Amino acid sequence: MNQNCNETITGSEALMRALQAEGVKTIFGYPGGAIMPVFDSLYDYTRGEHPAFHHVLVRHEQGAAHAAQGYARVSGEVGVCLVTSGPGATNTLTGVADAMMDSTPMVVIAGQVGIGALGTEAFQEVDLVGVAQPISKWSYQIRHASDVAWAVSRAFYIARSGRPGPVVLDFPKNAQTHTCEWTGPAHVDFVRSYVPYPRPDEEAIAEAARLLNAAERPLALVGQGVELAGANNELIELIEKADIPVGRTLLGLSALSSRHPLNMGMLGMHGQYALNMKTQEADVIIAIGMRFSDRVTGLPSTYARQAKIIHLDIDKAEIGKCIRADVPVLGDCKVTMPAITRLLKKNSHRAWIESFAPFFQMELKQVIEPAIHPADGPLLMGEVVNVVAEATRGDAVLVTDVGQNQMLSARYFHYNQKRSIVTSGGLGTMGFGMPAAIGATFGAPARTVCMFCGDGGFQMNLQELGTIMEQQAPVKMILLNNNYLGNVRQWQDMFWGGRRSFTPMLNPRYDLIAQAYGIPYDVATDRRDLAAKVEKMLATSGPYLLECAIKEDADVMPMTAPGKSVDEMQLTAES
């Protein structure tokens, strides 16, 4: 595209040029009346020998938002979606809220009725800025074509800087069609009152190092903030110098390789038994880029009361919000971790680390081995995940939906590379998996993308099979079908007297659905055939659906029940 300065262009054309200036290559979207001028401009930018953009036509706007999230999570870039006004815009809001809770950089550009029609209840009008404001980092209405370049640059700066998150741009139709003088892309790198990278407090860093040097039973809790900061190596340097065992949150699982000797597994409600028990024995806890969610802490009043808490986070609002921090270290952990590491003594905590072993052995015997190597009976979710994990050798991207499939795939998958897990952590959005996996294939085209989902979540955004079909997105879909809304069913059995109120599922013929979309399909019902069927799936180019007939009433264990202390974790549903 010819992009001369001091040229008169439309607001829609200005948007195309501004997106190019931000390095955007992939856009997930769905056209409609109020965004039609933008899609008309997009037409020329997606054609020719060297198109500027690849536009992925989703089948529902929620799918666009989740696909943009998946793209952002594996690539480290800002995900972009383009939708129309009214229901098109509001359909993306689940994804916006999801991205806000999980700190995912995303820019949603939505059409809007013309300025003159605002407030008249015009066709497909909605106050998008007002609705989006509480669930986004910034929401803004572009009222003039001349504001497009500035608004886009500011949106991307806010979305990707500091603690990342979603930004919503409301784009009225007159601003799309009116003209302005193009003077080149804007370069916003400062917003008054917005401090994305706080200056670290040297006294806090020194105190953190002092506590770690004196600690006898230190424990590191690592979240997605390490991945977002690109601080994976800095983490390794800190923990290896101080010899600190590490627990990872759900979203932070690939911040440290599964093979690292200091990796003690996943934190939280369905995490490792040893980690939960030893949390209550640690004398110093250093929490890095994580937010002490209720699924990690259990009952907050009993959580790690014996420990001094060091909390590293870029967002001041997270420090002390759930668990009091004795030493708050505000700042980018790519900066604060090395500052602490420089002050650390080379240390050894062999006895402390070895004390985890009996708890690991207990969980291995009572939970893990029966889950991944059952002797008989129907297939189990854990063993399916384990077979896929072994076949992909820790190099694949894991995408999950929400529920039992999410917890078991997170527990038993292997992570050798950074940015290897895409899941809906904070909001817990069923239907997230399929569109997020589509986005992940565009964000990491050289990697295998394995998406695990249950029969409930699979059907929530089933229409995105059309996107997979059209794009030939190479998503390896592993459908763990137990004919139940499994997680709710488990809670009903454990806490509601076994009253399975509306959790059994009458499911369709997934083989016929796959056939309708031209997607290769197979079904696994016998564990003797499982490994071969998984290998066939992985060897097949393009998308693939492998349905696995799973035991209907299997539970995800271990588990810390709601309202319980983390050291009251149950190894079995009966305990």
Side-chain angles (χ1 to χ4, degrees):
M1 296 291 125
N2 183 20
Q3 298 188 6
N4 296 323
C5 289
N6 302 314
E7 179 185 359
T8 299
I9 61 173
T10 65
S12 294
E13 173 67 18
L15 176 63
M16 297 297 104
R17 298 186 183 189
L19 292 175
Q20 269 193 297
E22 295 297 332
V24 174
K25 300 295 183 185
T26 305
I27 299 171
F28 303 92
Y30 202 94
I35 199 67
M36 205 172 293
V38 169
F39 270 88
D40 186 67
S41 293
L42 181 63
Y43 184 88
D44 292 328
Y45 281 78
T46 56
R47 278 155 175 78
E49 188 176 350
H50 301 289
F53 306 120
H54 179 69
H55 179 267
V56 178
L57 177 66
V58 296
R59 298 311 191 254
H60 189 281
E61 292 89 354
Q62 183 183 350
H66 294 327
Q69 288 177 269
Y71 176 90
R73 294 271 282 276
V74 298
S75 70
E77 303 295 330
V78 178
V80 178
C81 38
L82 186 61
V83 297
T84 195
S85 65
T90 57
N91 282 344
T92 67
L93 291 177
T94 295
V96 172
D98 195 292
M100 188 67 176
M101 290 196 75
D102 286 352
S103 304
T104 304
M106 178 170 70
V107 172
V108 175
I109 302 160
Q112 180 59 279
V113 301
I115 293 294
L118 288 173
T120 67
E121 296 186 0
F123 179 65
Q124 293 192 331
E125 179 195 358
V126 70
D127 178 11
L128 181 60
V129 171
V131 173
Q133 196 166 21
I135 56 171
S136 63
K137 279 190 77 175
W138 185 51
S139 59
Y140 179 77
Q141 187 173 81
I142 306 173
R143 298 175 71 90
H144 305 284
S146 57
D147 292 335
V148 170
W150 169 84
V152 169
S153 182
R154 181 178 169 122
F156 275 77
Y157 171 64
I158 291 173
R160 63 164 66 103
S161 62
R163 180 180 182 176
V167 169
V168 176
L169 293 178
D170 193 39
F171 200 6
K173 203 166 185 179
N174 61 286
Q176 300 173 42
T177 58
H178 288 180
T179 59
C180 64
E181 186 178 88
W182 177 255
T183 58
H187 298 285
V188 175
D189 58 6
F190 171 79
V191 176
R192 191 181 301 277
S193 79
Y194 173 55
V195 183
Y197 302 103
R199 178 177 296 178
D201 182 340
E202 292 184 8
E203 290 185 8
I205 286 170
E207 178 63 10
R210 188 192 68 78
L211 283 176
L212 289 172
N213 283 330
E216 296 180 359
R217 299 179 304 281
L219 180 63
L221 310 182
V222 173
Q224 187 192 198
V226 171
E227 296 247 71
L228 296 175
N232 304 67
N233 291 335
E234 288 79 1
L235 171 67
I236 292 171
E237 291 169 4
L238 187 151
I239 62 172
E240 289 184 351
K241 188 174 183 180
D243 200 30
I244 304 176
V246 177
R248 303 159 299 159
T249 67
L250 174 64
L251 268 65
L253 283 173
S254 58
L256 184 68
S257 169
S258 300
R259 298 175 178 175
H260 196 285
L262 290 171
N263 181 1
M264 300 295 150
M266 185 173 77
L267 295 163
M269 177 178 280
H270 292 293
Q272 258 59 52
Y273 182 61
L275 273 169
N276 276 12
M277 302 302 287
K278 302 307 277 188
T279 294
Q280 303 296 72
E281 296 180 25
D283 59 357
V284 175
I285 290 176
I286 178 168
I288 310 168
M290 53 88 71
R291 58 187 180 85
F292 286 110
S293 77
D294 58 298
R295 292 298 172 102
V296 165
T297 65
L299 186 64
S301 62
T302 65
Y303 182 79
R305 289 179 296 183
Q306 77 295 335
K308 293 289 186 181
I309 306 290
I310 305 165
H311 193 174
L312 279 61
D313 208 289
I314 201 167
D315 186 354
K316 186 177 182 179
E318 289 299 341
I319 295 179
K321 184 172 74 175
C322 300
I323 299 295
R324 184 181 66 84
D326 296 283
V327 183
V329 182
L330 188 62
D332 185 345
C333 67
K334 194 172 180 67
V335 175
T336 56
M337 275 198 291
I340 293 171
T341 302
R342 284 191 290 270
L343 301 176
L344 293 178
K345 301 173 184 176
K346 182 68 176 174
N347 217 328
S348 174
H349 297 102
R350 290 299 94 194
W352 165 239
I353 292 169
E354 288 169 2
S355 73
F356 283 66
F359 297 97
F360 279 129
Q361 290 302 318
M362 192 180 302
E363 182 180 358
L364 182 66
K365 181 179 179 180
Q366 296 189 39
V367 179
I368 298 175
E369 277 299 318
I372 67 175
H373 297 129
D376 51 28
L379 288 175
L380 300 180
M381 287 189 185
E383 72 174 308
V384 174
V385 173
N386 184 61
V387 169
V388 177
E390 294 289 343
T392 53
R393 293 179 284 277
D395 294 324
V397 173
L398 168 68
V399 183
T400 86
D401 207 85
V402 169
Q404 291 184 316
N405 68 90
Q406 178 185 34
M407 293 295 99
L408 287 165
S409 58
R411 276 179 60 86
Y412 297 124
F413 213 68
H414 304 160
Y415 313 92
N416 293 340
Q417 300 184 43
K418 62 183 180 180
R419 294 187 176 274
S420 290
I421 180 167
V422 181
T423 190
S424 175
L427 201 64
T429 305
M430 287 183 68
F432 174 88
M434 192 186 301
I438 294 169
T441 64
F442 287 98
R447 301 183 66 186
T448 299
V449 175
C450 295
M451 189 274 291
F452 289 88
C453 61
D455 40 316
F458 188 81
Q459 293 180 79
M460 279 202 169
N461 273 315
L462 183 68
Q463 73 284 340
E464 297 308 325
L465 287 171
T467 308
I468 292 175
M469 173 185 67
E470 183 172 333
Q471 300 292 329
Q472 280 301 290
V475 180
K476 308 307 181 187
M477 295 171 278
I478 302 99
L479 171 57
L480 303 172
N481 185 0
N482 59 7
N483 297 304
Y484 268 97
L485 298 175
N487 214 44
V488 182
R489 189 276 310 154
Q490 178 174 338
W491 283 46
Q492 287 173 337
D493 285 358
M494 293 179 70
F495 311 123
W496 293 91
R499 291 160 59 87
R500 298 181 178 181
S501 179
F502 300 99
T503 46
M505 297 278 286
L506 177 62
N507 283 316
R509 287 274 303 275
Y510 292 110
D511 58 332
L512 298 181
I513 291 173
Q515 181 183 349
Y517 285 101
I519 294 173
Y521 166 91
D522 202 353
V523 60
T525 58
D526 191 323
R527 62 179 46 88
R528 291 172 296 183
D529 305 326
L530 180 59
K533 288 177 182 288
V534 167
E535 289 290 351
K536 180 183 176 183
M537 172 187 72
L538 295 173
T540 302
S541 61
Y544 200 98
L545 175 59
L546 177 62
E547 180 182 0
C548 300
I550 301 299
K551 184 180 179 182
E552 291 190 347
D553 59 352
D555 295 326
V556 183
M557 300 305 292
M559 180 179 184
T560 301
K564 296 290 187 179
S565 174
V566 292
D567 56 356
E568 295 181 277
M569 191 174 213
Q570 301 175 217
L571 287 171
T572 66
E574 292 76 31
S575 61

